[in-house]
Amino acid sequence: MEFSFNTFFGLESKMADFPEVTLFGAMFLPLLLFIPVALIGWIFRKLKFNMYIIHVLMYTLLFTFILGAITIFVLFFITDKNGVKLAYCWLTVFTGMFIFSLINANTITKMFTDWSKIIKDRQNQ
């Protein structure tokens, strides 16, 4: 059995017929996944657990929503509109954003913390 880029977990016929589904999935999947991750993060915070992996997942979904949607839009309008290939491209962007967030989560968290302090200081002036 060999791997083929023309298969995608049994959904290749639907994705080939309607490549727009991949486009909407790339845009809305991070938003839909953000809700349960935020809920789990809220529970972790109440239980005083480590929030590192929750931050990584939230940053991954945020960056994937922004950059993944742009990437899929560009590929959708420039390429042959193959839904399976678009899904693999989106998974590649998602994986890259996960690795980036895993490596830089503390820096990103500090950046958001610093920004919130700057915003509060400007509001108090």
Side-chain angles (χ1 to χ4, degrees):
M1 183 175 177
E2 64 185 51
F3 180 75
S4 172
F5 278 107
N6 292 323
T7 61
F8 192 79
F9 305 109
L11 300 171
E12 57 273 357
S13 62
K14 294 175 186 169
M15 294 171 83
D17 294 338
F18 304 105
E20 299 84 14
V21 173
T22 307
L23 183 69
F24 288 114
M27 289 173 29
F28 293 116
L29 189 65
L31 293 176
L32 292 176
L33 290 176
F34 197 82
I35 295 167
V37 170
L39 182 65
I40 293 169
W42 179 75
I43 293 169
F44 274 29
R45 185 170 302 200
K46 291 294 181 184
L47 296 174
K48 306 229 188 279
F49 287 153
N50 190 355
M51 293 288 291
Y52 184 79
I53 194 67
I54 299 298
H55 285 155
V56 168
L57 290 173
M58 291 179 86
Y59 297 148
T60 300
L61 293 171
L62 172 73
F63 296 142
T64 302
F65 173 70
I66 295 168
L67 297 175
I70 292 170
T71 303
I72 294 300
F73 268 127
V74 169
L75 291 174
F76 182 79
F77 290 114
I78 291 177
T79 63
D80 57 355
K81 297 180 179 148
N82 185 340
V84 177
K85 289 179 184 176
L86 290 173
Y88 279 118
C89 290
W90 185 85
L91 280 176
T92 304
V93 170
F94 182 79
T95 304
M97 289 300 135
F98 180 76
I99 292 169
F100 174 80
S101 298
L102 194 63
I103 294 170
N104 297 312
N106 290 332
T107 305
I108 298 168
T109 303
K110 185 175 179 339
M111 177 189 70
F112 285 133
T113 304
D114 292 346
W115 282 359
S116 67
K117 287 179 184 176
I118 290 171
I119 291 170
K120 284 181 185 176
D121 288 344
R122 288 191 180 178
Q123 287 177 349
N124 293 334
Q125 288 180 354

